[in-house]
């Protein structure tokens, strides 16, 4: 309506006599520009999720008249719509006018534009303004982030964070926490998220990943408190809904987790964590084909995140599509490189096929050589040793992994192995430690309850157990302990476990 009124005023000013022109000039000067009004319309269309209309209204503005904020909005809309070339052009136009627009730099890097090319567009400003020497290293760090080189990205951001100008920078800490998460270092990831949260109590970005990590560690009370705090800040972001969804998922309320994940996606269709949450809930409810759709979308949005591929492969294995799972695991191995995580993922699929057991063993040995403390590799190697009934080797492996870290699942599996070699008292200790770390771990509780039924490890007791074996699954169900490890891996490989 405002634009129509503006047109009407323009027409009337043209037909007025020259004596009236002077009087109309102040009025026309007070009017907002047509470009500004169109920008406001585009904002409204975006809020209404009508992105095509928003693009159409901004496309109608001639290129030379587009301000940096218009180009920025266009770039983001093009990117969301999958029009990468147009998005790159718009981001570059923003940088041409505003060389220090960090969001435009991140936008270009996320669209696979080379870091050197992006840095060249800011070089003149870096050289002319003092105290900007950190910017080139910042661009280099995020170039590593977007190419999936987590190790070099972590090292570069750590060196940046030590600089006085960027010490305790919340954005850098959040990025570092996310990188540790992608690299499978959950302990450091949680520490960095906590540090960022202390510096900025109103921080929302990245809190969905933080909530997931807490839930995975069994800290459900902390997850609930985090969700409540985020809802008090804003319920119009995806993160609070994802955090609450994590709480529901790990409380085995999958229907509620599904609803909360869907709500998060409604608020932000590009939320990878929301897609993974919903996909995991669908999978655990037996709706595997629907889950596959969500994991594929997550991969499209975050092709460098291993947890997205893990969820999809887990679905393939759940539906006995081992061939598809093997193809996907091999693609991930080739695309993201041979690191402990990709080696373990490929080994996980190989374990499902009796023909490829030896290959799985080789892959897991390589993964553990690179990272002896990588929990998922340890779990899978323990599963393999259990199948071969090499319990002493399994116990040595688990003790070595637990020397420098404490994990509920590792303690529980160690308990299972100790039962296998009749070390009942120490097995009870391991189950107790596992439950102290995660009071909701049902399998540790079941192991402890079975142990409590053991009066003593005498021959008489063992004879009674043989009669009861089918019902209780005590010693005769040691292979069940192996499958428990596999089930744990299936349960936990849903969205960003390590």
């Amino acid at each position: 309506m405002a634009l129509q009124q503006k047109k009407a005023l323009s027409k009337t000013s043209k037909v007025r006599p020259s004596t009236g022109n002077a009087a109309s000039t102040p009025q026309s000067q007070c009017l907002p520009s047509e470009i500004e009004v169109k920008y406001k319309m585009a904002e409204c269309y975006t809020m209404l999720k009508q992105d095509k209309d928003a693009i159409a209204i901004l496309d109608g503005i001639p290129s030379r008249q587009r301000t940096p904020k218009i180009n920025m909005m266009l770039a983001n809309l093009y990117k969301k719509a999958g029009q990468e070339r147009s998005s790159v052009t718009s981001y570059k136009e923003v940088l041409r006018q505003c060389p220090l627009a960090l969001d435009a730099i991140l936008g270009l890097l996320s669209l696979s534009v080379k870091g050197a090319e992006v840095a060249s567009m800011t070089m003149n400003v870096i050289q002319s303004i003092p105290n900007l020497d950190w910017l080139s290293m910042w661009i280099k760090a995020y170039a590593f982030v977007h190419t999936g080189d987590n190790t070099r990205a972590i090292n570069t951001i750590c060196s940046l964070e030590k600089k006085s100008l960027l010490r305790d920078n919340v954005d850098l800490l959040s990025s570092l926490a996310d990188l540790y998460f992608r690299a499978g270092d959950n302990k450091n990831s949680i520490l960095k998220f906590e540090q960022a949260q202390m510096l900025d109590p109103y921080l929302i970005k990245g809190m969905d990943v933080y909530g997931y990590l807490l839930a995975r560690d069994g800290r459900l009370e902390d997850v609930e408190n985090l969700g409540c705090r985020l809802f008090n800040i804003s319920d119009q972001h995806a993160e609070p809904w994802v955090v609450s969804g994590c709480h529901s998922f790990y409380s085995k309320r999958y229907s509620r987790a599904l609803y909360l994940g869907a709500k998060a996606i409604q608020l932000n269709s590009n939320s990878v964590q929301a897609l993974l949450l919903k996909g995991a809930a669908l999978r655990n409810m037996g709706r595997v084909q629907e889950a596959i759709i969500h994991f594929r979308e997550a991969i499209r949005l975050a092709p460098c995140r291993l947890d997205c591929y893990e969820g999809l492969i887990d679905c393939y294995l759940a539906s006995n599509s081992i061939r598809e799972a093997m193809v996907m695991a091999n693609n991930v191995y080739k695309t993201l490189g041979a690191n402990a995580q990709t080696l373990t993922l490929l080994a996980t699929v190989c374990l499902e096929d009796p023909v490829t057991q030896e290959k799985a063993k080789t892959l897991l040995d390589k993964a553990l050589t690179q990272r002896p403390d990588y929990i998922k590799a340890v779990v899978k190697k323990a599963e393999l040793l259990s199948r071969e009934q090499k319990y002493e080797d399994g116990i040595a492996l688990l003790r070595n992994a637990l020397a420098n870290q404490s994990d509920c699942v590792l303690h529980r599996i160690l308990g299972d192995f100790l039962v296998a070699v009749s070390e009942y008292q120490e097995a009870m200790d391991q189950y107790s430690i596992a439950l102290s770390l995660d009071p909701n771990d049902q399998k540790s509780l079941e192991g402890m309850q079975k142990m409590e039924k053991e009066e003593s490890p005498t021959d008489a007791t063992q004879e009674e157990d043989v009669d009861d074996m089918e019902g209780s699954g005590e010693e005769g169900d040691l292979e069940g302990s192996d499958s428990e490890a596999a089930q744990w891996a299936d349960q936990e490989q849903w969205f960003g476990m390590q």
Side-chain angles (χ1 to χ4, degrees):
M1 288 172 68
L3 288 174
Q4 291 297 324
Q5 187 72 15
K6 176 82 180 291
K7 284 182 181 178
L9 284 169
S10 299
K11 287 178 182 178
T12 53
S13 63
K14 285 177 183 177
V15 298
R16 281 178 184 170
S18 57
T19 52
N21 284 345
S24 66
T25 302
Q27 182 185 6
S28 62
Q29 287 176 346
C30 293
L31 290 173
S33 71
E34 188 174 328
I35 294 168
E36 186 63 29
V37 177
K38 285 184 176 179
Y39 178 79
K40 291 181 185 297
M41 287 176 71
E43 281 187 313
C44 293
Y45 280 130
T46 303
M47 291 177 187
L48 292 168
K49 313 290 184 189
Q50 297 175 16
D51 292 346
K52 287 184 179 178
D53 292 319
I55 290 173
I57 199 80
L58 293 177
D59 264 340
I61 301 171
S63 300
R64 291 184 179 181
Q65 295 180 25
R66 292 175 191 170
T67 60
K69 69 177 181 181
I70 288 172
N71 279 314
M72 192 69 194
M73 182 183 274
L74 259 177
N76 291 332
L77 288 167
Y78 283 140
K79 182 182 173 184
K80 193 175 176 183
Q83 299 178 42
E84 294 189 3
R85 187 175 295 179
S86 298
S87 182
V88 167
T89 302
S90 295
Y91 280 132
K92 284 183 175 179
E93 188 57 33
V94 174
L95 275 186
R96 191 184 66 79
Q97 296 174 287
C98 303
L100 297 179
L102 300 186
D103 283 338
I105 291 172
L106 291 175
L108 285 171
L109 293 172
S110 70
L111 292 169
S112 303
V113 177
K114 300 286 184 185
E117 183 183 348
V118 176
S120 67
M121 301 175 75
T122 63
M123 198 58 66
N124 291 335
V125 180
I126 292 174
Q127 292 171 351
S128 61
I129 299 178
N131 299 322
L132 268 185
D133 54 321
W134 58 267
L135 184 57
S136 56
M137 191 182 289
W138 185 91
I139 294 170
K140 185 180 177 182
Y142 283 97
F144 288 140
V145 170
H146 289 288
T147 54
D149 192 341
N150 296 328
T151 304
R152 292 169 79 182
I154 288 170
N155 292 337
T156 309
I157 290 181
C158 281
S159 62
L160 262 178
E161 217 249 323
K162 290 174 185 174
K163 290 180 178 287
S164 57
L165 282 172
L166 295 176
R167 188 173 290 125
D168 291 339
N169 180 280
V170 174
D171 282 330
L172 275 186
L173 286 170
S174 297
S175 295
L176 197 53
D178 190 59
L179 284 165
Y180 278 127
F181 163 64
R182 294 187 191 194
D185 189 347
N186 289 354
K187 185 179 177 181
N188 273 321
S189 180
I190 289 173
L191 287 173
K192 291 300 176 183
F193 274 129
E194 286 173 349
Q195 195 178 339
Q197 193 181 216
M198 286 175 66
L199 290 165
D200 181 4
Y202 295 98
L203 179 66
I204 289 181
K205 185 182 177 183
M207 291 295 101
D208 47 357
V209 175
Y210 177 49
Y212 160 70
L213 290 172
L214 294 177
R216 185 220 169 273
D217 275 0
R219 295 165 57 180
L220 294 183
E221 189 176 342
D222 291 339
V223 178
E224 190 172 12
N225 292 336
L226 175 64
C228 291
R229 187 176 65 78
L230 291 175
F231 273 119
N232 287 334
I233 297 169
S234 170
D235 61 357
Q236 294 303 304
H237 290 77
E239 285 84 351
W241 300 91
V242 172
V243 170
S244 294
C246 291
H247 184 276
S248 297
F249 185 90
Y250 277 92
S251 302
K252 300 191 184 331
R253 292 183 292 166
Y254 301 126
S255 296
R256 179 164 175 75
L258 177 62
Y259 161 74
L260 292 165
K263 179 66 178 176
I265 292 169
Q266 187 181 350
L267 288 167
N268 180 6
S269 59
N270 288 338
S271 171
V272 174
Q273 219 61 32
L275 287 163
L276 294 175
L277 170 63
K278 190 179 175 186
L282 286 165
R283 187 198 65 215
N284 281 25
M285 292 168 71
R287 294 158 64 177
V288 177
Q289 292 307 313
E290 293 176 69
I292 285 172
I293 294 169
H294 287 76
F295 287 122
R296 281 177 176 163
E297 177 62 12
I299 289 170
R300 187 187 72 80
L301 292 170
C304 290
R305 279 185 56 169
L306 189 76
D307 49 340
C308 302
Y309 298 99
E310 287 175 337
L312 182 59
I313 288 171
D314 194 45
C315 285
Y316 285 143
L317 294 178
S319 57
N320 293 318
S321 303
I322 296 176
R323 186 178 174 184
E324 287 86 346
M326 187 66 77
V327 170
M328 179 59 70
N330 274 308
N331 286 340
V332 174
Y333 179 77
K334 290 172 185 175
T335 306
L336 300 184
N339 56 54
Q341 292 167 288
T342 56
L343 287 164
T344 304
L345 183 60
L346 186 54
T348 301
V349 181
C350 290
L351 282 171
E352 297 296 318
D353 189 345
V355 180
T356 52
Q357 297 295 295
E358 280 303 313
K359 184 180 179 182
K361 186 177 181 180
T362 305
L363 291 167
L364 288 170
D365 287 340
K366 284 182 181 178
L368 288 169
T369 301
Q370 287 189 20
R371 281 183 59 185
D373 61 341
Y374 185 43
I375 292 174
K376 288 173 74 173
V378 174
V379 168
K380 285 299 173 185
K381 183 67 183 289
E383 179 186 336
L384 189 59
L385 291 171
S386 185
R387 288 183 188 180
E388 298 171 348
Q389 297 188 348
K390 295 180 179 178
Y391 300 117
E392 294 293 348
D393 290 346
I395 289 169
L397 171 74
L398 291 161
R399 288 193 197 283
N400 184 52
L402 287 166
N404 298 312
Q405 61 184 332
S406 192
D407 181 82
C408 167
V409 176
L410 295 185
H411 283 291
R412 187 233 298 156
I413 297 173
L414 180 55
D416 292 340
F417 274 61
L418 289 165
V419 170
V421 296
S422 302
E423 296 284 347
Y424 298 108
Q425 184 54 53
E426 194 180 349
M428 180 73 86
D429 293 340
Q430 293 300 324
Y431 288 136
S432 298
I433 295 170
L435 284 168
S436 70
L437 292 168
D438 182 3
N440 299 302
D441 187 53
Q442 193 63 33
K443 289 169 188 171
S444 295
L445 189 60
E446 288 169 5
M448 180 171 275
Q449 287 170 347
K450 288 175 187 175
M451 292 300 302
E452 287 171 348
K453 289 177 184 176
E454 289 283 333
E455 294 176 3
S456 63
T458 60
D459 293 338
T461 308
Q462 289 174 2
E463 284 173 16
E464 287 176 13
D465 289 339
V466 170
D467 295 334
D468 230 17
M469 200 170 285
E470 288 184 10
S472 69
E474 177 30 43
E475 269 193 279
D477 195 29
L478 289 175
E479 290 190 9
S481 296
D482 312 336
S483 63
E484 282 179 4
Q487 287 167 12
W488 169 79
D490 290 341
Q491 191 88 343
E492 296 296 313
Q493 277 183 5
W494 56 290
F495 78 123
M497 175 191 136
Q498 282 283 329

